[in-house]
Amino acid sequence: MAIFSFIFTGSCLRELLSKTGLEDHYENKLTLSTVLEINADTTSDEPLTTMQSLPGAFLKKLRMANVNARSVKCLTTDQEVSYCGVDNLDTDSDSSDVINPLDLITALFLCSDGFLQQEMVQKMSMCQFAVPLLLPNCDTEQSTLMLWALRDIVKKFRPSSQTDTTAFVEDRIVLSDIPMVSFVKLGESSLSKSQILNKLLSNPQQYHDTFVHRDMECGDASRQISDGLVEIIWYLPCGIRNIDMLTEPVAVANLRGDIRSFETEFSFLCKTSAAVYIFTDDLETDFFKILKSKKTKAELYLVVNSQRKMFGVDILKKLIRNCDINEKNVIVKNKQNDAEFVKILQSSVGDIIKKCPNRLTIENMADMAQQMGIWVDEDCDECQSAWKMADEITKNITDTIKFKNEKLPLQGQIWKELSQLEKERCRLRNAGDQEIEHYTSSLNKKEKELREKQYTFDMSDATERFILGLSGSGAERSYFLKWMQINLDNLSRQNLSVLRGRYKDLCQRSQEKKDDVKDLDKQLSDCSLGLEHFLRELGQLYEASCSFPEDSPQRKQMEHLPGLCAQMLLDGFPIELVDGDASNIPLKWISAVLTQLHTLVQSNSTIRVVTVLGVQSTGKSTLLNTMFGVQFAVSSGRCTRGAFMLLIKVNKELKEELECDFIMIIDTEGLKSPELAQLDDSHEHDNELATLVIGLSDVTIINIAMENSTEMKDILQIVVHAFIRMQEVGKKPICHFVHQNVSDISAHDNNMRDRKKLLEQLNEMTQAAARMEKKENITKFTDVMEYDPDTSSCYIPGLWHGTPPMAPVNAGYSEAVYSFKKTLMKDFRKCQRNYDLTHFLKWTQSLWEAVKFEKFIFSFRNSLVADAYSRLCSEYNGWEWTFQKEMYKWMVSAETKISNIGITDQNPQRSIRDVLQDLLIEASEKLSEGEKKIQDNLVKYFEKQDGHVNLVEKYKEDFVSGAKTLRRETENNVRIKLHGAIEIKEGMTELDEIRCSQASTLEKKVLALLQTCKQNKSVLSDEALEEEFERMWKKTLSEIKFRGLPRRHVAQDAFRILHDHLSMRSGYVNSMLDGNSLVDCGKTPFVVESEDWWQKTKGFVMHLNRDHLRMKLQELCDNIIKKCQEFITQKVKNKTDYHDFYIKELLEIIDETSQQNKKRKVPEECEVKLKLHICGIAERTFQEKHNDFIEVNDPKKCLEQSKNKYLTEFRDLFHNRDQCQKKAEEFTKLCLQPAVQDYVTKMICPDVVDEVKTGKGSEDYSTRGAFQFSILKQLLMDGKYEKYREYINRYESFVKDWLFDHIVQQLSKDNRLEKLENKHLSEIVKMITAEISKIRNTTHTVKYIKTFIQNMCCAIEEKLVFPKDALDSIMTLNYSANTEQFADDLTGFVGKMEQSLSAKYDKEGDIKERLKSLPFKPQDKMFTSLFGCGKQCPFCCAPCEAGGKEHAKHFTSIHRPQGVTGWVNLKTTVLRTDICSSSVISDRKFNTNLTEGKPHLYKDYQKYYPDWIITGDSSIKASDYWKYVMATFNDTISKDTHALPADIPEDWKALTTDDALKSLKNAFNMK
């Protein structure tokens, strides 16, 4: 029979596992991490239609502590409840798809690993479900004592002995010596044992189904595999007499099935229980005789039902007599109702508890179980091995404070000092009168000493064992960590429970007990000992090792530690992000851990982050645990301190939808109310924590307990500040307010008025916070975050249904949390960004930096923002250059058109000014089109989901304005150039008319002579023809009245233009022109005079002596003069006459250069003298140019020069010689070749820039920051002070020269310049050839070569500028009609021209000279885009790197010691070492004319320089580059600036070239 039963039940197990889809997990156990995975079913409400869906549905509800978890069942197709009428009495319902809840629970426990079993037991215990004590396996007929599964349950209660106090008992349940009573069944029993037990354990007003019974949903389904299951529940009193059913704690065990079939389990209960209650109706069974012979420690009780028909009193008495049963131990249910009967049972159990000597902890039951052949789940090798390792560490801990000091020394006072030192380095509050850089240097030195002190401690044996435990295999490691958690919690609990009780009492009387509260808070911190303390120790070991060189053995020894911690995080254990005791993040450690984790998951680490914030003890951790099934500490012994992060994996099927691989949950310690915060100075900590975690979040949950509404408002102030700071960096986290402990089911509707009131309060707080953050544009809460009062508020009932500890979790709580979870999942889908762990890490670093500075203006040292900004700048620069290139090409075409007026004009009646108007209209349209393209590109760019564009959203307007400015400046430039081209053309008109008139006269004379000679019948020789021509020539010249061009007085014209230019300025300025003339100006070098001008320079920080300031101004003036001289030289090279707009352009150059250098503004007196000086130089040069032009273009001389040409043409016409070849050659050499050369020269200008911008090394020119990096790197490599001096003092000329050299280098490689020239040569030749062919095919309309040439010129008038005098010469006396031959000849000559020019380009050597001859200088064009706004830091002169020209704020990545630019202490004349990034976080002051000579705090610099952002440098590393330069060239700088050498801090002297380069890379975010 037993064998048959075994076979039957064994097959039942396999059948049930198959039916429920668990067969694969019988061997390969379900794991906790798999169950916690976010998948499609996580928030799915699809009905359960198959048996396979039941285990998942049960676990899903159980994870969320839903008391209805055991009620899961398959729904039939007919959803209506069927009515069981009389007709249906004989019909059996189909139970094939029904499973008893106990079978489902048993199956799941059999198919789960130890950690999932532990989690299931934990949640079942919260729901007040009975949990397995002995788990049967009908396949092996072997039960297992579930010691490990039960080990994590911690219960809190108040026994009768403590009812008059506020004290309570909190203990791990397997260690509690609570007596156990067991309830079993013998044969049949008409009483429902489980129902009676439920009533026994429940207060009549709070009935709860602790044990599954037949009247529950599916409880009547036959049990297949759960017979033999022993369940256990603990009755724990709350200390309130009217509520407690029993005054002392008791464990109640319940064996399922007939004890005759499960003798081992029954015997185990008899040996471990104080009493065993046997329910039976079968009083005649022989089992009682067997029972009599057994020696049991437990007192046996018989429970029978007298209401059963078969019951006989005589039989009962006989049984009592024969089996020596104590009559008092027989409990008979008579006619009394269940309530009365249960009271009898309660009384019986109460008596047993009082007198019970047999108290056996569940842990001690393990020995008994092993003796009886019952397996113990903790007996597996991994668990035992892990326990031994954990026990070795924890067994000797008696004093946690002593243990932490001796065994975990690195995280103690040293770490706290390091944390304070980090913040002091960011805030410089205690610098006093010390030089800032010397003070920061001393902080640096102190940090090094502390790190060295840390490293003097040998690694303790406890730490070594902990590392060994972490290094184990997967299961062993997890067991080890869990054992450590359990053991450490056990150690801490007793002390902490008492301390927290006292802390709570003191806080209620806070004002008079302030010192006591502080002392208690410290005790709480000191007595606490958890896993996080061991991990902190590893973190500090790692951080201390980081102070050693990378290849040092000390560092190598610790390299594996972050990987161990990363694996922990991957295994589902929470890791401390913020150390709550030190209020700090060990950034190097966290960085290494997250980097290792990123590697472990093979870079598939995109995450969504959800964070919870709220007041202390409002159920934040419980909310997260319920929502995600995780295990953040919630017991009073282990409250959250700081912030912990935990990862939950996202299932493959949902990854694409959520666009992430993991959900990261961050749990934080409770924020304190302002009253409490004042007691322990935790305002700062709360602000820091809130700002950090909100900044890291995609979704932020603000947890509010409704009973703390006043406190809630105060906490919200912290939150609002944090949201405003996040809005500054383009982050708008989704926010939800969770209102807990809401009792009314209609809370959401009833609280509409409260929600509106809350929003009003939030708006008020937002306005107040915005004023404090100086963000007056923010006026309401929704300006800083996504918040809808209706959808962003969630109302959750209280956690417990009744009075703990016997209260189950409120079903309303679980359902509300589940509903909220569904909202969160929708939010994850809406989140735009999907950052991976590396980005999360960068955010953490950047946010924490900002937090430490107490200034939440996020600098571009934030690597993510810097990267996003750099990409935007790079894209914008590309669009800007495309626009400029298009406009350049259009401008070349327009100037070509203007030059060709009168040559190719199809409408001779149109004036030059008409052409100008048409071109201005066309330019405007072209500019609008180009601007629109940039604006459209910007819109598209910010619509992208990648590239972190949200981080730079606030800079969008800067670039929009920059595009408008670019258009405005280009339009102005185009207008000037068009007017200039027109003026030149108009200036040439008179000359052209003279030449045209003379040519016309001569042509008529030659034609008349030709006719005369041809009428003469005799044949004339060439000599005779020449004599005739000579007579005609002399006679004609004597008849022409030659009038030359009028000669201008350039000095007078230039002075008039200068006078008009300054006419709107002050009377003083104009008076300086009186009595002046340009004749004598500019003949001697310009010298800035030492007068009172220096007092008028605005914005100068007064750390320089007057002579030094004069020298700086002299440098500026010299730079302006150099620029102007270059312009003058360029104009002189043109073959055109002088024009007034040359002087106007010069004056604009002077003004523009002065404005770009607002740091050294030119005083008015100096400005006038400078303009007179430059105009004086210009007028003499331009006068000479004008005189030369008149001389060269003397009409009579020009005519004399063309005499031979006329003679040759006359001869050819007379002899009827074919002119085709000759005219084709002349047209090619005199017209096409110079025009083509001019075209190629113009066209390669933008190509040269493109070559540099897109070729190798182009990234150096992609943004202003990248450009600065490349220059500074090159300067460092060169290591010459002279170059640094040039860079600092003559930035523009230095950079242009540097650019020019790099352009030359780039174009020298692989004959790149020649290739560019040949490319354009080939393009234009193809076009010319095509036009020749096209005109050749229209010979029926083009009958003369003259017309052919005219058509050719018209066809390519926008490409080539034809020299008018050469063209006129060719067209003169050109009457040949053989156009086809001309076309053939011309094609041939054009081919030869291409070969000739190509050979010329290939042979030309000096690239520098060729580049200098270009219409614009490529280096100037590149400089303009890379120079930016031209603003410099008001303190150290570092150039602004912001993108676009119209940015609202200026910034630079790297500031310099002020001494580098020659600034001195006025009292001592010693070079200064102050660096802006340190000064702005100190209490130091500056003094400028803007402050009217009064000292002003550096940290409030924005009062006078509101458009600058100067951020602090906590690492003291960002400016290491310039510190190295200052230290290296200190003596040279002092001699150069006539000052005393700076007092260089010691750590500056230790810096190397490598340190400087590393600093440079970090500052500019370069790899």
Side-chain angles (χ1 to χ4, degrees), residues 105-118:
I105 290 168
T106 303
L108 276 168
F109 270 92
L110 286 171
C111 294
S112 301
D113 73 359
F115 303 100
L116 178 54
Q117 288 177 347
Q118 223 174 44

Side-chain angles (χ1 to χ4, degrees), residues 577 607-613 664-668 689-702 723 726 730-735 828 831 833 835 840 843-844 847 950:
L577 176 63
I607 57 172
R608 300 279 188 221
V609 183
V610 58
T611 299
V612 64
L613 270 174
M664 178 177 280
I665 306 167
I666 298 179
D667 187 24
T668 61
L689 192 63
T691 303
L692 175 75
V693 297
I694 286 174
L696 294 176
S697 304
D698 291 302
V699 180
T700 303
I701 302 168
I702 310 298
F723 277 121
M726 288 314 102
K731 276 178 66 75
K732 257 188 165 184
I734 296 169
C735 178
F828 290 148
C831 293
R833 67 189 183 97
Y835 296 162
F840 174 80
W843 262 117
T844 306
L847 283 165
N950 58 306

Side-chain angles (χ1 to χ4, degrees), residues 176-191:
S176 301
D177 57 347
I178 297 174
M180 182 169 81
V181 292
S182 298
F183 291 80
V184 299
K185 185 177 73 169
L186 174 62
E188 292 296 323
S189 173
S190 54
L191 295 174

Side-chain angles (χ1 to χ4, degrees), residues 843-946:
W843 262 117
T844 306
Q845 291 168 335
S846 303
L847 283 165
W848 193 242
E849 283 294 293
V851 162
K852 287 190 293 187
F853 276 109
E854 298 178 305
K855 281 186 177 289
F856 298 93
I857 299 166
F858 284 78
S859 74
F860 288 87
R861 197 157 291 124
N862 175 333
S863 55
L864 280 181
V865 177
D867 184 50
Y869 189 80
S870 179
R871 287 188 200 178
L872 174 58
C873 287
S874 183
E875 289 283 339
Y876 181 80
N877 287 349
W879 304 329
E880 186 180 65
W881 171 236
T882 301
F883 172 83
Q884 289 173 330
K885 195 161 50 172
E886 287 297 315
M887 287 312 300
Y888 171 78
K889 288 178 181 177
W890 182 89
M891 192 65 225
V892 167
S893 173
E895 287 177 326
T896 302
K897 272 185 185 177
I898 292 170
S899 298
N900 287 332
I901 292 174
I903 299 173
T904 62
D905 200 355
Q906 304 294 315
N907 293 308
Q909 67 272 20
R910 286 171 76 243
S911 69
I912 291 176
R913 290 288 159 176
D914 289 336
V915 175
L916 174 63
Q917 288 309 310
D918 289 346
L919 287 172
L920 286 171
I921 292 166
E922 189 182 329
S924 182
E925 290 171 356
K926 187 81 176 169
L927 286 160
S928 297
E929 183 187 327
E931 183 192 356
K932 186 175 183 299
K933 272 186 188 174
I934 295 178
Q935 302 288 16
D936 290 346
N937 283 333
L938 275 169
V939 170
K940 284 177 191 171
Y941 187 84
F942 280 95
E943 284 173 353
K944 287 196 305 183
Q945 298 298 312
D946 57 351

Side-chain angles (χ1 to χ4, degrees), residues 1189-1447:
F1189 183 80
I1190 287 176
E1191 184 71 23
V1192 169
N1193 290 286
D1194 178 77
K1196 191 170 183 180
K1197 276 186 182 178
C1198 291
L1199 205 55
E1200 287 285 2
Q1201 287 167 359
S1202 61
K1203 180 181 177 181
N1204 286 336
K1205 173 86 171 62
Y1206 278 100
L1207 175 58
T1208 306
E1209 297 289 347
F1210 170 67
R1211 282 176 185 159
D1212 290 345
L1213 286 171
F1214 180 80
H1215 293 300
N1216 291 320
R1217 290 173 186 156
D1218 183 18
Q1219 288 185 304
C1220 292
Q1221 189 174 7
K1222 180 184 163 190
K1223 290 294 181 184
E1225 185 177 8
E1226 285 180 358
F1227 181 56
T1228 303
K1229 285 185 177 176
L1230 300 178
C1231 290
L1232 287 180
Q1233 185 161 323
V1236 165
Q1237 283 181 283
D1238 178 59
Y1239 169 83
V1240 169
T1241 304
K1242 287 175 179 174
M1243 285 298 104
I1244 64 166
C1245 288
D1247 283 2
V1248 167
V1249 177
D1250 271 338
E1251 188 69 30
V1252 180
K1253 278 179 171 278
T1254 59
K1256 190 178 179 183
S1258 59
E1259 60 277 2
D1260 291 347
Y1261 312 101
S1262 58
T1263 64
R1264 283 160 204 168
F1267 181 58
Q1268 284 298 320
F1269 171 79
S1270 59
I1271 290 182
L1272 292 173
K1273 182 182 174 184
Q1274 187 62 51
L1275 286 170
L1276 182 66
M1277 295 300 103
D1278 292 343
K1280 294 177 180 175
Y1281 171 70
E1282 294 73 20
K1283 290 191 175 183
Y1284 275 109
R1285 182 175 58 197
E1286 284 295 308
Y1287 170 78
I1288 294 165
N1289 296 334
R1290 296 179 180 84
Y1291 178 74
E1292 183 174 342
S1293 61
F1294 174 85
V1295 169
K1296 283 184 177 178
D1297 290 345
W1298 190 87
L1299 278 169
F1300 185 69
D1301 289 341
H1302 277 71
I1303 292 168
V1304 169
Q1305 285 176 24
Q1306 191 83 342
L1307 294 175
S1308 297
K1309 298 170 188 172
D1310 305 324
N1311 301 319
R1312 288 184 186 174
L1313 183 58
E1314 290 84 346
K1315 288 176 182 176
L1316 291 177
E1317 290 169 327
N1318 282 312
K1319 181 187 83 168
H1320 288 292
L1321 173 62
S1322 177
E1323 283 172 2
I1324 195 63
V1325 166
K1326 279 181 185 174
M1327 191 181 295
I1328 292 168
T1329 309
E1331 287 302 327
I1332 294 171
S1333 179
K1334 191 176 175 183
I1335 298 169
R1336 186 184 192 281
N1337 294 331
T1338 56
T1339 50
H1340 59 282
T1341 55
V1342 181
K1343 294 182 178 179
Y1344 297 102
I1345 292 175
K1346 189 173 185 178
T1347 314
F1348 194 107
I1349 292 173
Q1350 283 175 336
N1351 286 3
M1352 271 290 296
C1353 293
C1354 289
I1356 48 179
E1357 67 169 339
E1358 292 186 11
K1359 299 291 180 183
L1360 302 180
V1361 176
F1362 298 103
K1364 191 171 188 312
D1365 49 354
L1367 191 61
D1368 287 345
S1369 172
I1370 293 163
M1371 302 291 257
T1372 301
L1373 300 172
N1374 192 343
Y1375 295 102
S1376 175
N1378 192 351
T1379 53
E1380 286 191 14
Q1381 183 60 46
F1382 177 76
D1384 292 340
D1385 291 338
L1386 186 57
T1387 304
F1389 281 117
V1390 166
K1392 289 177 182 176
M1393 174 194 74
E1394 182 180 11
Q1395 291 172 1
S1396 168
L1397 287 177
S1398 180
K1400 177 176 177 281
Y1401 292 145
D1402 290 341
K1403 285 178 184 175
E1404 283 183 343
D1406 195 344
I1407 289 180
K1408 288 188 177 182
E1409 289 305 315
R1410 287 155 73 188
L1411 288 173
K1412 286 177 183 176
S1413 69
L1414 297 179
F1416 74 67
K1417 296 178 181 176
Q1419 67 270 27
D1420 288 2
K1421 188 61 71 175
M1422 290 184 69
F1423 177 80
T1424 304
S1425 65
L1426 296 168
F1427 181 64
C1429 64
K1431 299 292 190 298
Q1432 291 176 299
C1433 171
F1435 303 115
C1436 73
C1437 304
C1440 169
E1441 295 161 22
K1445 284 197 174 180
E1446 293 300 309
H1447 41 262

Side-chain angles (χ1 to χ4, degrees), residues 293-541:
S293 64
K294 284 194 175 188
K295 294 181 179 179
T296 62
K297 293 182 181 178
E299 197 165 344
L300 299 179
Y301 285 78
L302 197 60
V303 182
V304 296
N305 184 5
S306 67
Q307 303 303 300
R308 197 175 66 86
K309 288 182 182 179
M310 301 294 292
F311 177 79
V313 176
D314 296 336
I315 299 171
L316 178 61
K317 287 181 178 179
K318 182 182 175 183
L319 178 67
I320 292 169
R321 189 171 55 254
N322 293 341
C323 296
D324 292 338
I325 296 175
N326 188 338
E327 282 189 36
K328 292 180 181 178
N329 289 9
V330 178
I331 301 171
V332 182
K333 184 178 186 303
N334 295 316
K335 292 182 180 179
Q336 76 265 49
N337 61 20
D338 283 355
E340 294 297 324
F341 179 64
V342 165
K343 282 185 181 177
I344 294 169
L345 270 177
Q346 284 172 342
S347 174
S348 171
V349 171
D351 291 342
I352 291 167
I353 298 167
K354 286 176 187 173
K355 63 183 182 181
C356 171
N358 184 19
R359 291 171 180 253
L360 196 63
T361 66
I362 294 175
E363 187 176 63
N364 291 336
M365 290 179 189
D367 293 335
M368 188 77 69
Q370 287 162 344
Q371 291 169 20
M372 299 180 70
I374 295 171
W375 289 350
V376 180
D377 59 357
E378 287 186 358
D379 283 349
C380 68
D381 293 341
E382 293 95 343
C383 185
Q384 286 300 304
S385 169
W387 172 76
K388 286 173 185 172
M389 281 192 284
D391 192 54
E392 281 294 317
I393 298 171
T394 58
K395 67 181 177 183
N396 295 321
I397 303 175
T398 52
D399 183 335
T400 53
I401 298 174
K402 185 180 178 184
F403 177 83
K404 282 160 76 172
N405 288 338
E406 290 179 0
K407 303 296 184 182
L408 308 173
L410 273 66
Q411 63 190 271
Q413 192 58 34
I414 299 177
W415 168 228
K416 287 176 183 171
E417 281 182 35
L418 279 165
S419 299
Q420 288 305 312
L421 195 145
E422 267 187 45
K423 287 181 183 173
E424 173 58 19
R425 207 159 54 186
C426 297
R427 299 168 187 180
L428 302 176
R429 290 173 177 170
N430 305 317
D433 296 330
Q434 292 183 65
E435 284 284 333
I436 290 299
E437 293 308 319
H438 280 274
Y439 179 62
T440 53
S441 182
S442 69
L443 294 177
N444 210 19
K445 185 181 177 184
K446 192 173 180 183
E447 182 196 16
K448 194 175 178 184
E449 288 169 357
L450 286 169
R451 286 297 182 196
E452 286 171 357
K453 187 177 178 183
Q454 273 188 326
Y455 220 81
T456 58
F457 291 101
D458 292 329
M459 191 188 293
S460 68
D461 55 344
T463 305
E464 285 178 354
R465 288 190 180 114
F466 184 74
I467 293 171
L468 187 64
L470 281 184
S471 306
S473 65
E476 188 179 32
R477 179 177 58 249
S478 295
Y479 273 115
F480 169 73
L481 288 168
K482 198 69 190 178
W483 274 118
M484 285 294 294
Q485 261 181 358
I486 289 166
N487 291 354
L488 294 172
D489 280 355
N490 293 344
L491 285 167
S492 301
R493 185 174 298 106
Q494 191 171 2
N495 288 335
L496 291 179
S497 296
V498 175
L499 288 172
R500 286 196 183 282
R502 285 171 57 198
Y503 187 79
K504 192 174 179 182
D505 291 342
L506 279 174
C507 288
Q508 291 168 354
R509 295 172 285 140
S510 56
Q511 293 306 318
E512 67 270 20
K513 298 284 184 181
K514 183 173 179 177
D515 293 334
D516 291 349
V517 170
K518 276 188 178 180
D519 184 53
L520 258 180
D521 194 54
K522 186 176 185 307
Q523 284 184 53
L524 278 166
S525 174
D526 291 343
C527 291
S528 177
L529 181 61
L531 265 181
E532 67 269 24
H533 294 92
F534 285 85
L535 292 172
R536 277 181 204 170
E537 194 71 8
L538 300 195
Q540 287 310 302
L541 276 169

